[in-house]
Each structure stands twice: as structure tokens, then as C-alpha cells.
């Protein structure tokens, strides 16, 4: 280390490991006073750069803020920094935790820093560095805008240290950071410090996904660097799957390509399996890539590890699940025998995670000694001392502690956050050996494993089941391999019937996942910016956003394309010239005929769709229908009609014969739906109660055991036929119709029309993207002026605007309108907590629109008035083409009222589908919004908000240390 960077020399001397090259490069830039963007894989050690910024702040007498996207990661980072620097020098600020907030080092969520800047907090004085961990979160469509707000608005003398997962457009993001923050060094490392092996498990046999292809004697490249040996999908894996599925169409599909020094890599830039041992282009090490799969023993090996050794490709054992897939117990047992624990198994279902723990408990599996299990149990008992014993059963405590004492646990958002924290602590310490988790575990929490298992490559995204993306696959498998502990990490995909190894190889090989901005102005942002900078300056500031930066870069390419297309159009026009007449006129007639025929087909489809929409609107409670296709096809009974609304089709709620609550949409019912009959639905039927749904489904099956015969539908005449006939006559009468070169001219004309349409479309994109963020801001200001939140033509903030300025909820303007109208003034504390929950609750798709259960008339009346306000607001937003504010939802109002009134958790959750962890998280969000009301509301309502906060912040909510 040279003397030019004395602080870095000092920092490095305190570490018990040498810095990697990318860490050294980044830390030098930080000490030189430059901003940095560090993009590196999970587990590569990029947080070292953030920790150096903290060291630099303490050494120079300035402050450093360490921001994270989630409170759990903030807590974890706070604990790490306290261990190094002491509790007196480190603080923590999250939505509901405030510890030593004036310390020189403060860990906080990004939203807290944003709010602090808008409020002009004195805590910002002396700030020298802001570390933005997981900065790629700015792509998140719900919360991503906050990252851009912070980066844009931080004082110019503050250096920003941005830490990101590997993204393919790091240089573009770095160029934007350079524009808004000044000199910024972009440092990208693709090197995985712990190499990753890719596997698939068929039955109970573990196969390498890729194998190296050794050159034959005739191959002229006998002395090729082994780091660049070509690889292909393991033929033994293909053979095993073919044998299991009973079909054989695989072999020709998996012939690896040759040619060029990198010739064996799987598809995708820098794909796993090729060379690139050091992340900088030089390949080392047995046909592998630091990122990905490698043939563990070369093409001459069996490639599989079957029970008892030997050739795992033939004698694999079938598991106990359908299609020969191993049970979860068998998978963990297999990994233990292979020495591949600790492992995280990603299951894209909370119920699946809990079920996996239940299965291991039922099997009697134990992964740790009884002494270690007892120590784990004591730790859990210490952590839950603040919980009421009566709440433990509803929290799933007994299965949780039994699993922990045997060395395994679940981890998902439906668990009590305290439980999740215990799992993270014990797993990181090596005191539990298997965790079954949803994908949320992959987001930031430092919890590496030796092995990551993926049960499926499909997940539910809230609307439908979709394949996971290459970026998601990389983030999930990035947890495999603990630096300083494991020599290598392992990613295992469980084969199930229908899973093509091509899908796995493609995910393991693709390396292109760009960072896309999700930034858009909000009402709260607008009043804060106008107050701080004035409208014109605020508009200019928004034009510096990453969203506008990306849009402008795209426009440059679009303009170039339009210019090139116009030149081509002139050439096409010359080629279609006809000596008999105006061929462009003739081509226009042909084009109109084709368009009318397409429109006719679309009209027929739209007619059927419109009829289907009308049929959904006309359904009544008790109507029995048959869902024609999809996962929930079969009989269903209507439990809640829905006639749609502004711009939305009807979506009645039904209970299916398999007891599921679903919303019927035009996606489920593409053609008109006719009731098959009707049945009585109990007047007090609660669609959220699983027992009530089960009883109704049983009645449905007995009421309608068979379908009646289908009715015949009549087909009408297409109204465009006459116009098409007339155009055909004109076409045949046109002089160019007799041209011997007509079809040659027509081909050029078709190219002209196609390119003309494409060019016009690109021009519309250019018009839409130019100053797009500022244009949205202008429309927001126009609405805020009309509603009285901005004055003087949008130049000043009114008294009502100052209230809006303090409301950071997603439905900020709706909350401000309710304050202005006094909608909540009559409510007591518990009722206020209930009504505030309608602003933060996001129902599952099938629950939306169901009639909520109200705790009292005051809450119901307040909600009805809120819906009226929301409807007027939505109309105003629609008139200005602004994003619509979501409708308030009372789905948890009844439960929130009971909790705020002091009822037991078991009583609160009884009869609902709410998981304890979800309810606690919603309570914390309600507390956060109540705190904002305390600042924004009149004194009387502020007093009620404080009492409501006290009522909600108790029991499991107060005991929780995470969310």
C-alpha cells in the first residue's frame, strides 16, 4: 500500500484479510474525495467500501450516513458497526426506531434520509459521506423513486458511495451519477470470490449441470488453456431426465458450439461454464467461470452422484413426490450426506416454507446435536420474553422452536419479524443448518450458505405465475458460498416433470439485466420541491433524474433511427413508381382493404369480449357459473357482484368448488358467461373465513353435480363487408392493377407502408419521452393549484400544502383531503387506527372490492366519505392523465380496531387469512402514518393519533425488533 492513501492504509491494517483489487480501487477513490459506484456480485465484499467511508468520517471529524432499503438490513448493519466502533459513535434511525440519532455514524432506511432532507433537519450538518447500500433498489416500482430523490437532493459537498448488485448498465448509471453528483468512479467486479457449481437433482441423484468437453486426439487445439475448454449440459443429466420422463428428444438439442477461444460457454455474455477465472478476461481453472456451473469431473466422469456411489446417471433413486421428485426431507438428507449443508431452500410460497418445516419435524430429522439444539431453544426463549404466552400458539411458536432446536427453520414475511431475526442470527452463526425461505431473503440480508436449492423456477408475482428472470436466479443463487469458510458454493435446481435443462442452463448463463429507473414525481414530492426550490428550479431538478437521463439517451437513438428511416422511405417510393398511374394511391386502397379485414377480426373479438364483460356485470349473489379454463376452471358461486368502475371491467368475487376465493376477470372469461343455476349464500357469509368457504363449496358441489347442455349462439353479419367489396371494385378498376410489374411494385409499397408506420411510432415515442418527467410534474402542479395546495400559479405552498408536505404515504393526497375535510374528526383512537389502515392495506387480487367488516358506524361512515373523496380525486387525475390514486381498502379495519382496543392477538386474527407477520407489518405501517398525522393534523386529531399509536404499539408489535 503506498503512502498516498494514509487513511486506507490505516483501515486495511485493522482487517484480518487483504483487500481485493476492486475494494482497494474504490477505497482510494473515496479517500480522494470522489463518489464511487461499486457493482459486484453478492458476497464479493462491496460493503467494505461503505465501511471505509465510515472509517474516513470518524477519522476526519465528519458524519457518515449508511442507508439501506429495508429495516432488517439497517438493524443488521447497525449491529455490525456497533461491534467495530462502539455504541456511543453509531446511531440507528428507522420508521419506528431512534437510537443515538446525532451520532457521527447513523444507519437508516433511505426513506428516513429523504424525509430528513425535505424537513431541513439539523442532523445533516457536518455530513461528509452517504453510503447507499443495495442502490439497485431504485428499480423497485413502489419505492425506487426515493433513491433518486436522495441522490439528486443531497448537498453538493457530500460524497455518495453507491453499492449495487451486478447490473449490465453500470456505466450508464455511473454516467448519470457523474452528471448529478460530480466526479464519480465506476468500479465493476464480476469476480465471485467463492466459485459456484451449478447442479440439478433428479430423484435423489445430484448431477452437475455442465461438463467440460475434452479435445479429441484429432483436435488441433490440444494445448488449449483448460480455463477455456468448451462445456455443454451434462449428458448423464439429460439421460436421467429422459429415463424419468420416458421420452428421448434431448440429445441433438445439446450439442455445444465450437469456434473461438471462449468456445465452450453456455449461451449469454460471459455465461457460466466458460473461462473467465478472474473476472477480467483471462481464464483459469478447469473449464469454469467464477460465476457459474462447471463440469465437476470433466466429460469422462459420470456427472452424477447416486446413492451409494457409482454411476449416478443410471441408478438414481426415485423420491416420494409426484414425477419422481425427492421429498424435502430426502433433499436435505441428501445434502447432509454430501457435505453441502448449511443450505437455503427457496420455495416461492409461505405455506410451502412452513410445510417443509412440518415435514422435517414429522420425519424426526435432526441436523444439530441435542446440546446445540437446547442452546438454540434458550436463545429463542430469551428473545420472546416480551410476548404474551397466550399469543404463542397463534404465532406458530411451538413448531418454530421445535425446528430451531433440531437445526432447521422457515423464513418468510408472514412470520413474526422477531422470529425472522432469530433465524438470521442462528443461520449466520452456523447454529441451524437448513432454512426454507421465500425470495425476500435474497434481498440484502447478509445470510450466506454453502448451498442454495431452488424447488421451482416459477413464482407468483401477485397476478400470475411467471418464470423467474436471470437477474432473480443470480440473486438467489448468489447466496451460495461463504467467503472465508467455503472453498466453493453450490446451486441445486430440483428437477420436476416438464422442466427442461435448457431453462436452467439459460438462467445460469444469462448475464444481461439492466437497471431501469422507476422514478416519477408524487404530490408530496411536488410540494416539498416547490417549497424548497420554487417551481421552475424544481422542474429543472427533476429533469436531472435517472429516469429522464435514460429517456433522453433512448431519444438520441430514436432520432437517428427516424433520420435513417426517412432516407429509406424516399428510396422505397422511387422503387414503387408505376408508368400506368399513381401506385401509392393503388397501394393505399390495398392497404385499406387489409386494415379493414384486420379491424373486422378485432371487432368480432371485441364484441365477444364486450359481451363477456356485460355477462360479468349481470351476475348476482348465488349465481352458479363454470369458469371455462385456467388453474381454477370448474364450478364457482358468486359471493360478491362487482359492476366495475371508471375504466375497469366488472370483476365479481366467487368461491370455487375447491374452496378458493377468486375474482373473475375477462382474462378468466373471454366469452359470455351464463349462470347454470343459483343457490343461497348465507347473509353473514364472510369470504375471508376459510371454514365459511369450505362449507359453501360443499353446498355448491351438491347443488350442481352436472352441467346443463350448452346453448347455441348465433353469429351475425360483419358490417365491414360492404365497404371491403366496394374497395375491391375500385382496386380492380385502377390502372395500376393491370401493370405487369404490379406485384413487384406492391412489395416495395408494402415495405414503404410498414416502415412509415414504424417511423411514425418512433416519432410518437420521441414526443412522449422528451421532458417526460417535467411534463408529469407540470400536470401534478396544475392539479395541486386547482385543489388549493399550491398558490400563485404553483409558485408557493399554501397552508394545506404544508400538511401534504408531511404525509409520505402512497395515498398522500387522499390523506391530505381527508384532513382538510375533517373526515376523521369524530373518531376515537381505535377507530382512527382502523380508518388509517384503509390507506396502507394492499389486498390480494382476489380480495379487492369485497365488502369489509366494519367495527362501528363511525368508521363505516368515515370510509364511505373517503371513497367519495377518492372518486372525485381519481376523476381529476384522469382528466390530467396522471397515475390514479388507489382506492382505500378496509380489509383489515376490523382487525386493526380490535387490536387497538386491547384484544388478544388470537381474537384479532380469528376468522381472517392474515398471517401474524403480515399483521405486525401492517401495524407498523399504521403507526408510521399515525406519526405523520400527529405532525400534520390539527391539535385535537393529533392527540387522538398519539392515543391510537399507543393502542397499536403493544404486545407483539412493541416486542418486535425488526420491522
Amino acid at each position: 500500500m503506498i503512502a498516498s492513501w494514509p487513511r486506507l492504509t490505516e483501515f486495511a491494517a485493522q482487517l484480518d484479510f487483504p483487500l481485493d483489487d476492486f475494494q482497494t480501487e474504490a477505497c482510494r477513490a473515496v479517500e480522494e474525495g470522489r463518489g464511487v459506484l461499486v457493482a459486484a456480485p453478492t458476497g464479493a465484499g462491496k460493503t467494505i467500501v461503505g465501511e471505509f467511508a465510515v472509517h474516513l468520517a470518524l477519522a476526519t471529524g465528519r458524519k457518515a450516513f449508511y442507508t439501506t432499503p429495508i429495516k432488517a438490513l439497517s438493524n443488521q448493519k447497525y449491529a455490525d458497526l456497533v461491534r467495530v466502533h462502539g455504541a456511543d459513535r453509531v446511531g440507528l434511525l428507522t420508521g419506528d426506531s431512534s437510537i443515538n440519532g446525532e451520532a457521527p455514524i447513523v444507519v437508516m432506511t433511505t426513506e428516513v434520509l429523504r424525509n430528513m432532507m425535505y424537513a431541513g433537519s439539523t442532523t445533516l450538518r457536518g455530513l461528509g459521506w452517504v453510503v447507499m447500500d443495495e442502490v439497485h433498489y431504485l428499480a423497485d416500482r413502489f419505492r425506487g423513486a426515493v433513491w433518486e430523490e436522495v441522490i439528486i437532493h443531497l448537498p453538493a459537498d457530500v460524497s455518495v458511495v453507491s453499492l449495487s448488485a451486478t447490473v449490465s448498465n453500470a456505466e450508464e448509471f455511473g454516467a448519470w451519477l457523474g452528471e448529478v453528483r460530480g466526479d464519480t468512479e465506476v468500479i465493476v467486479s464480476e469476480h465471485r470470490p467463492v466459485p459456484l457449481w451449478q447442479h440439478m437433482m433428479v430423484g435423489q441423484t445430484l448431477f452437475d449441470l455442465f461438463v467440460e468437453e475434452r479435445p479429441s486426439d484429432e483436435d488441433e487445439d490440444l494445448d488449449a488453456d483448460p480455463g477455456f475448454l468448451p462445456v455443454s449440459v451434462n449428458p448423464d443429466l439429460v439421460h436421467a431426465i429422459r429415463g424419468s420422463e420416458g421420452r428421448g428428444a434431448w440429445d441433438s438439442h445439446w450439442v455445444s458450439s465450437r469456434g473461438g477461444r471462449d468456445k465452450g460457454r453456455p449461451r449469454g455474455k460471459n455465461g457460466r461454464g466458460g473461462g473467465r477465472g478472474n473476472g477480467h478476461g483471462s481464464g483459469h481453472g478447469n473449464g469454469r467461470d467464477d460465476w457459474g456451473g462447471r463440469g465437476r469431473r470433466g466429460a469422462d466422469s459420470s456427472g452424477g452422484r447416486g446413492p451409494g456411489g457409482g454411476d449416478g446417471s443410471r441408478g438414481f433413486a426415485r423420491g416420494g413426490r409426484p414425477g419422481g421428485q425427492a421429498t424435502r426431507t430426502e433433499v436435505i438428507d441428501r445434502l447432509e450426506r454430501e457435505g453441502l449443508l448449511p443450505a437455503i431452500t427457496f420455495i416461492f410460497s409461505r405455506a410451502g416454507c412452513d410445510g417443509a418445516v412440518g415435514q422435517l419435524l414429522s420425519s424426526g430429522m435432526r441436523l444439530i446435536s441435542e446440546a446445540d439444539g437446547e442452546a438454540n431453544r434458550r436463545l429463542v426463549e430469551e428473545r420472546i420474553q416480551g410476548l404474551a404466552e397466550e399469543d404463542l400458539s397463534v404465532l406458530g411458536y411451538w413448531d418454530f422452536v421445535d425446528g430451531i432446536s433440531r437445526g432447521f427453520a422457515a423464513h418468510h414475511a408472514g412470520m413474526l419479524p422477531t422470529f425472522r431475526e432469530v433465524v438470521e442470527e442462528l443461520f449466520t452463526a452456523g447454529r441451524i443448518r437448513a432454512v426454507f425461505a421465500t425470495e425476500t431473503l435474497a434481498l440484502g440480508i447478509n445470510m450466506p450458505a454453502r448451498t442454495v436449492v431452488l424447488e421451482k423456477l416459477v413464482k407468483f408475482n401477485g397476478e400470475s405465475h411467471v418464470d423467474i428472470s436471470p437477474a432473480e436466479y443470480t440473486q438467489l443463487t448468489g447466496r451460495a458460498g461463504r467467503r472465508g469458510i467455503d472453498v466453493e458454493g453450490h446451486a441445486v435446481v430440483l428437477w420436476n416433470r416438464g422442466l427442461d435443462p435448457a431453462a436452467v442452463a439459460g438462467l445460469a448463463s444469462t448475464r444481461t439485466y439492466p437497471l431501469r429507473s422507476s422514478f416519477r414525481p408524487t404530490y408530496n414530492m411536488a410540494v416539498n420541491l416547490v417549497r424548497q426550490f420554487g417551481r421552475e428550479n424544481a422542474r429543472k431538478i427533476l429533469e436531472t433524474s435517472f429516469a429522464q437521463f435514460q429517456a433522453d439517451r433512448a431519444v438520441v437513438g430514436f432520432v437517428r433511427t427516424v433520420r435513417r428511416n426517412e432516407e429509406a422511405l424516399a428510396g422505397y417510393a422511387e422503387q414503387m413508381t408505376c408508368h400506368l398511374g399513381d401506385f401509392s394511391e393503388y397501394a393505399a386502397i390495398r392497404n385499406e382493404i387489409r386494415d379493414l379485414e384486420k379491424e373486422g377480426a378485432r371487432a368480432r373479438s371485441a364484441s365477444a369480449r364486450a359481451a363477456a364483460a356485460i355477462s360479468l356485470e349481470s351476475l348476482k349473489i348465488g349465481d352458479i357459473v363454470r369458469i371455462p379454463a385456467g388453474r381454477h376452471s370448474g364450478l364457482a358461486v358468486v359471493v360478491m357482484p362487482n359492476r366495475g368502475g371508471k375504466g375497469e371491467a366488472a370483476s365479481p368475487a366467487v368461491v370455487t368448488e375447491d374452496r378458493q376465493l377468486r375474482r373473475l376477470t375477462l382474462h378468466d372469461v373471454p366469452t359470455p358467461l351464463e349462470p347454470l343455476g343459483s343457490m343461497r349464500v348465507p347473509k353473514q357469509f364472510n369470504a375471508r373465513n376459510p371454514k365459511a368457504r369450505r362449507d359453501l363449496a360443499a353446498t355448491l358441489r351438491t347443488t350442481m353435480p352436472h352441467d346443463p347442455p350448452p346453448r347455441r349462439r348465433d353469429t351475425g353479419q360483419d358490417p365491414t363487408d360492404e365497404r371491403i367489396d366496394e374497395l375491391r371494385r375500385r382496386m380492380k378498376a385502377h390502372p395500376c392493377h393491370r401493370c405487369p410489374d404490379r406485384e413487384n411494385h406492391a412489395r416495395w409499397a408494402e415495405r414503404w407502408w410498414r416502415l412509415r408506420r414504424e417511423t411514425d411510432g418512433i416519432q410518437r415515442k420521441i414526443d412522449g419521452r422528451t421532458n417526460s418527467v417535467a411534463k408529469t410534474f407540470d400536470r401534478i402542479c396544475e392539479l395541486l393549484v386547482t385543489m388549493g395546495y399550491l398558490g400563485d400559479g404553483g409558485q408557493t405552498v399554501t397552508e394545506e400544502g404544508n400538511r401534504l408536505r408531511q404525509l409520505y404515504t402512497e395515498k398522500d393526497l387522499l390523506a391530505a383531503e381527508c384532513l382538510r375535510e375533517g373526515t376523521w374528526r369524530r373518531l376515537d383512537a381505535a377507530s382512527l387506527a382502523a380508518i388509517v389502515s384503509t390507506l396502507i392495506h394492499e389486498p390480494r387480487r382476489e380480495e379487492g372490492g369485497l365488502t369489509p367488516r366494519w367495527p362501528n358506524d363511525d368508521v363505516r361512515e368515515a370510509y364511505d366519505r373517503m371513497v367519495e373523496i377518492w372518486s372525485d380525486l381519481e376523476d381529476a387525475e384522469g382528466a390530467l392523465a396522471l397515475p390514479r390514486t388507489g382506492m382505500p381498502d378496509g380489509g383489515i379495519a376490523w382487525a386493526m380496531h380490535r387490536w387497538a382496543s386491547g384484544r388478544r392477538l388470537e381474537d384479532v386474527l380469528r376468522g381472517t387469512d392474515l398471517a401474524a407477520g403480515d399483521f405486525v407489518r401492517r401495524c407498523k405501517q399504521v403507526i408510521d402514518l399515525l406519526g405523520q398525522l400527529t405532525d400534520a393534523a390539527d391539535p385535537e386529531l393529533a392527540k387522538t393519533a398519539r392515543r391510537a399509536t399507543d393502542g397499536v404499539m403493544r404486545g407483539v408489535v412493541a416486542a418486535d425488533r425488526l420491522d
Side-chain angles (χ1 to χ4, degrees), residues 686-743:
N686 180 3
R688 289 188 173 87
N689 188 309
K691 182 180 184 303
R693 294 200 302 269
R694 186 167 59 247
D695 294 344
L696 192 67
T699 307
L700 169 64
R701 289 191 294 270
T702 57
T703 303
M704 186 62 62
H706 305 291
D707 282 357
R711 300 181 189 177
R712 295 184 62 177
R713 294 191 181 90
D714 118 289
T715 57
Q717 183 76 19
D718 192 328
T720 60
D721 286 350
E722 290 183 13
R723 174 66 178 159
I724 291 174
D725 289 342
E726 180 193 343
L727 287 169
R728 288 192 188 282
R729 286 192 294 271
R730 284 178 54 195
M731 180 183 71
K732 290 176 182 176
H734 197 284
C736 292
H737 193 67
R738 298 187 298 276
C739 177
D741 292 328
R742 181 187 70 197
E743 293 309 309

Side-chain angles (χ1 to χ4, degrees), residues 23 37 65 102 166 168 299 380 404 582 589 595 639 653 751 770 792 837:
Q23 294 168 329
L37 167 64
F65 289 171
E102 295 300 322
T166 308
S168 55
V380 175
I404 287 282
D582 185 349
I589 297 172
D595 289 346
V639 295
R751 291 175 189 171
T770 305
D792 300 327
S837 76

Side-chain angles (χ1 to χ4, degrees), residues 2 92 160 187 205 287 571 609 716 725 742 771 858 867:
I2 62 174
L92 174 68
V160 176
I187 295 158
T205 307
R609 191 175 176 83
D725 289 342
R742 181 187 70 197
N771 298 323
D858 286 345
V867 171

Side-chain angles (χ1 to χ4, degrees), residues 323-517:
Q325 186 179 353
T327 65
R328 288 159 178 158
T329 303
E330 290 167 340
V331 170
I332 297 301
D333 180 63
R334 182 75 191 166
L335 294 178
E336 184 181 29
R337 285 188 283 126
E338 290 285 350
L340 296 181
L341 294 182
I344 300 171
T345 300
F346 285 108
I347 305 172
F348 302 121
S349 155
R350 297 177 183 182
C353 295
D354 293 335
V357 171
Q359 290 161 26
L360 266 62
L361 285 173
S362 298
S363 72
M365 178 169 282
R366 175 176 287 280
L367 300 176
I368 57 177
S369 68
E370 291 192 15
D372 289 342
E374 190 55 38
N376 288 354
R377 183 183 289 271
R378 284 195 300 272
L379 175 71
V380 175
E381 289 170 352
E382 286 172 18
R383 291 294 173 81
I384 62 146
Q385 284 181 358
L387 302 179
E389 192 164 337
E390 62 195 20
D391 291 338
L392 294 182
S393 292
V394 72
L395 293 171
Y397 170 76
W398 304 111
D399 276 357
F400 173 75
V401 74
D402 282 352
I404 287 282
S405 65
R406 289 174 172 269
F408 49 84
H411 186 288
H412 58 74
M415 294 169 61
L416 192 69
T418 301
F419 289 4
R420 294 204 306 271
E421 184 186 40
V422 168
V423 173
E424 291 159 12
E425 180 179 332
L426 291 177
F427 190 80
T428 304
R431 292 169 59 179
I432 54 176
R433 309 277 287 161
V435 167
F436 300 93
T438 54
E439 73 271 24
T440 52
L441 178 62
L443 302 177
I445 299 296
N446 180 26
M447 194 170 152
R450 178 169 295 165
T451 303
V452 164
V453 179
L454 298 181
E455 278 204 352
K456 292 181 179 178
L457 300 180
V458 175
K459 70 171 188 174
F460 187 68
N461 67 359
E463 295 179 355
S464 60
H465 286 81
V466 297
D467 293 335
I468 66 172
S469 67
E472 289 168 329
Y473 182 89
T474 299
Q475 188 153 34
L476 294 168
T477 57
R479 293 280 157 207
R482 298 163 297 173
R483 188 169 190 178
I485 301 174
D486 298 321
V487 177
E488 57 196 26
H490 300 267
V492 179
V493 176
L494 303 186
W495 176 81
N496 50 71
R497 192 172 295 279
L499 177 59
D500 186 342
V504 186
L507 287 171
S509 306
T510 303
R511 298 291 297 284
T512 303
Y513 20 90
L515 188 62
R516 297 289 178 218
S517 172

Side-chain angles (χ1 to χ4, degrees), residues 561-636:
T561 302
V562 167
R563 193 179 301 123
R564 187 171 59 244
N565 286 0
E566 293 291 354
E567 293 171 2
L569 284 167
Y572 291 169
E574 187 178 335
Q575 290 296 327
M576 70 179 179
T577 303
C578 177
H579 68 288
L580 294 179
D582 185 349
F583 200 89
S584 62
E585 181 183 78
Y586 176 75
I589 297 172
R590 287 176 59 140
N591 209 48
E592 188 177 354
I593 291 171
R594 186 184 64 244
D595 289 346
L596 282 172
E597 288 173 340
K598 286 182 179 177
E599 283 174 18
R602 279 197 297 266
R604 286 189 292 273
S605 173
S607 176
R609 191 175 176 83
I614 292 170
S615 73
L616 288 177
E617 288 179 17
S618 63
L619 291 176
K620 304 183 294 296
I621 291 179
D623 280 349
I624 299 173
V625 296
R626 176 168 288 281
I627 303 173
R631 291 178 62 243
H632 301 289
S633 60
L635 291 175

